């Protein structure tokens, strides 16, 4: 028996003739992420397999795979030959380990089998029943409950046989890069990293644009933005950040424009400049962290004024969320603690 990771993809299943392209893109992302663990990746029948990961690296490998957009779920599994006796023994061992992990003297279980290899001599229902009987006989403290078990032993018969009891949900979405490239207006706040995460989940490759107004904003504020970008790369992959000096523009607006128009005019300049950066780096859209009505510059009228200077689409994925919903996602993706550091942009 060999420990490995069984990796499933979700939405890609819905693709038609373009499906091989999405599968290849996801495969490349898995291979790139697996390099740090020395793992070997292979494409199987509706699955990817990650092998040769050291036992001490397995938790980190599972976490890394679960963060890749396009992956639906990950299961640490045992791979073995399609021999019935070997399958029964591996299923019993998996049940024994799970019972020990639960820390209870007794528990309920069931067996769930899938037979993709139709040449295998036993159908799924019979395999579940036979393996379940073997487990009952060889693992004390277990009883069967097919409706509400404490755990399930899963058996998949594919190119090999795979046995597992646990599944970690992945990030879902589409592989990064399959839907083009966009430029994220990245501030040091909570909203824009979440906006970037959400659009990367829909298959967009990201680059980022940050407006830096030294000495009104500090070097530490810029470092904070770079840290946020690095945190996003765990999900979105490699990302370039373009820092745009903005001090002279802000001072010119301050000296020459009505004070009550300062924010709107400033944001129009930001959108123009961000679009220029996007065009120079082959991005086809802008992404902002605007949420309708959250601040005075994010009313429908204000967003219409700031967006009017752009010819390319402007994606605002958090526009219908309240602040708490955005915060929940920022905590989930690990950007919240950095975003609230007291270095204002």
């Amino acid at each position: 028996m060999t420990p490995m990771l069984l990796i499933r993809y979700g939405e890609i299943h819905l693709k038609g003739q373009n499906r091989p392209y999405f599968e290849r893109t996801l495969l490349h992302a898995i291979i790139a992420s697996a390099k740090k663990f020395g793992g070997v990746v292979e494409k199987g029948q509706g699955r990817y397999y990650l092998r040769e990961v050291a036992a001490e690296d397995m938790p980190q490998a599972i976490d890394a795979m679960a963060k890749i957009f396009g992956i639906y779920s990950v299961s640490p599994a045992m791979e073995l030959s399609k021999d019935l006796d070997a399958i029964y023994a591996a299923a019993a061992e998996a049940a024994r380990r799970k019972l020990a992990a639960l820390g209870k003297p007794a528990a309920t279980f069931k067996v769930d089998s899938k037979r993709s290899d139709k040449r295998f001599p036993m159908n799924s229902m019979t395999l579940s029943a036979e393996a379940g009987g073997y487990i009952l006989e060889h693992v004390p403290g277990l009883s069967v409950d097919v409706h509400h078990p404490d755990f399930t032993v899963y058996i998949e018969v594919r190119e090999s046989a795979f046995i597992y009891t646990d599944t970690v949900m992945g990030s879902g979405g589409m592989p990064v890069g399959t839907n083009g490239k966009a430029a994220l207006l990245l501030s040091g706040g909570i909203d824009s990293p979440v906006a970037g995460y959400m659009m990367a989940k829909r298959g967009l490759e990201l680059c980022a644009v940050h407006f830096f107004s030294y000495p009104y904003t500090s070097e530490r504020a810029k470092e904070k933005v770079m840290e946020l970008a690095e945190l996003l790369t765990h999900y979105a992959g490699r990302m370039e950040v373009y820092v745009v000096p903005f001090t002279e523009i802000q001072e010119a607006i301050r000296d020459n424009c009505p004070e009550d128009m300062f924010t709107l005019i400033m944001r129009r300049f930001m959108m123009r400049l961000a679009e220029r950066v996007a065009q120079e780096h082959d991005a086809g859209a802008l992404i902002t962290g605007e949420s309708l009505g959250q601040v005075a510059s994010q009313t429908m009228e204000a967003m219409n004024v700031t967006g009017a200077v752009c010819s390319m689409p402007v994606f605002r994925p958090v526009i219908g969320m309240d602040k708490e919903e955005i915060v929940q996602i920022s905590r989930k993706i690990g950007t919240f603690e950095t975003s609230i550091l007291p270095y204002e942009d």
Side-chain angles (χ1 to χ4, degrees):
M1 294 189 296
T2 305
M4 47 83 71
L5 293 183
L6 195 64
I7 302 169
R8 305 170 190 84
Y9 52 84
E11 197 170 340
I12 294 176
H13 283 296
L14 302 177
K15 300 300 177 183
Q17 294 182 346
N18 290 330
R19 179 169 162 178
Y21 163 69
F22 289 89
E23 291 178 337
R24 286 194 304 271
T25 304
L26 181 55
L27 177 61
H28 293 155
I30 295 171
I31 291 172
S33 184
K35 282 182 179 178
K36 64 177 73 73
F37 308 107
V40 175
V41 183
E42 181 184 347
K43 173 75 173 66
Q45 300 174 358
R47 300 282 190 271
Y48 296 95
Y49 307 127
L50 176 56
R51 302 183 176 94
E52 299 184 22
V53 176
E56 61 270 20
D57 292 331
M58 194 63 80
Q60 292 81 6
I62 294 170
D63 182 65
M65 294 301 110
K67 286 180 177 177
I68 297 174
F69 289 128
I71 290 179
Y72 175 74
S73 64
V74 181
S75 293
M78 298 302 297
E79 183 178 12
L80 58 150
S81 66
K82 292 182 282 189
D83 174 78
L84 279 172
D85 290 336
I87 289 172
Y88 295 157
E93 178 60 24
R96 189 178 296 109
R97 290 182 179 180
K98 186 63 177 179
L99 179 60
L102 292 175
K104 302 194 300 185
T108 59
F109 81 102
K110 73 174 183 178
V111 177
D112 188 341
S113 301
K114 294 180 181 178
R115 184 191 60 155
S116 296
D117 181 2
K118 301 307 179 185
R119 296 170 299 177
F120 189 72
M122 189 176 289
N123 64 36
S124 298
M125 290 185 63
T126 304
L127 178 58
S128 293
E130 294 294 327
Y134 186 95
I135 291 171
L136 281 174
E137 183 179 349
H138 290 84
V139 185
L142 290 180
S143 58
V144 173
D145 184 343
V146 297
H147 299 294
H148 304 288
D150 292 318
F151 67 90
T152 300
V153 176
Y154 295 94
I155 302 173
E156 292 194 18
V157 181
R158 296 178 175 275
E159 297 90 341
S160 303
F162 303 92
I163 314 291
Y164 58 94
T165 57
D166 298 297
T167 295
V168 177
M169 298 308 298
S171 294
M174 302 297 296
V176 170
T178 54
N179 278 322
K181 182 178 180 181
L184 169 67
L185 279 72
L186 183 61
S187 72
I190 296 171
D191 303 341
S192 58
V194 171
Y197 164 85
M198 294 179 67
M199 295 313 301
K201 185 173 183 176
R202 297 312 307 153
L204 282 178
E205 177 187 350
L206 301 182
C207 63
V209 181
H210 176 66
F211 296 95
F212 184 56
S213 297
Y214 184 82
Y216 303 110
T217 53
S218 67
E219 284 289 335
R220 188 65 188 89
K222 184 169 69 173
E223 292 171 6
K224 171 184 172 181
V225 169
M226 294 301 180
E227 185 176 340
L228 286 171
E230 184 176 354
L231 291 169
L232 279 177
T233 63
H234 297 310
Y235 298 91
R238 184 177 181 273
M239 180 169 60
E240 295 176 338
V241 181
Y242 303 101
V243 178
V244 179
F246 202 62
T247 306
E248 290 186 22
I249 293 175
Q250 280 190 303
E251 290 177 338
I253 297 172
R254 177 198 64 195
D255 296 339
N256 296 284
C257 299
E259 184 177 352
D260 59 348
M261 295 291 156
F262 178 87
T263 300
L264 277 178
I265 295 171
M266 180 184 69
R267 290 172 70 87
R268 281 169 65 92
F269 270 101
M270 287 180 170
M271 297 296 279
R272 282 197 184 103
L273 291 169
E275 184 175 52
R276 181 74 63 85
V277 172
Q279 290 168 341
E280 290 178 355
H281 296 90
D282 300 319
L286 300 179
I287 303 168
T288 75
E290 294 166 295
S291 174
L292 185 62
Q294 187 178 114
V295 294
S297 61
Q298 294 180 16
T299 62
M300 182 169 62
E301 294 79 8
M303 283 189 280
N304 185 44
V305 169
T306 57
V309 299
C310 296
S311 60
M312 63 174 52
V314 180
F315 297 141
R316 300 177 172 95
V318 302
I319 194 165
M321 296 184 178
D322 62 32
K323 195 67 178 184
E324 183 55 35
E325 290 174 308
I326 299 171
V327 166
Q328 287 177 5
I329 297 176
S330 72
R331 290 185 186 277
K332 169 188 170 183
I333 66 177
T335 57
F336 178 76
E337 295 300 329
T338 301
S339 291
I340 63 173
L341 290 174
Y343 307 108
E344 296 296 332
D345 64 3

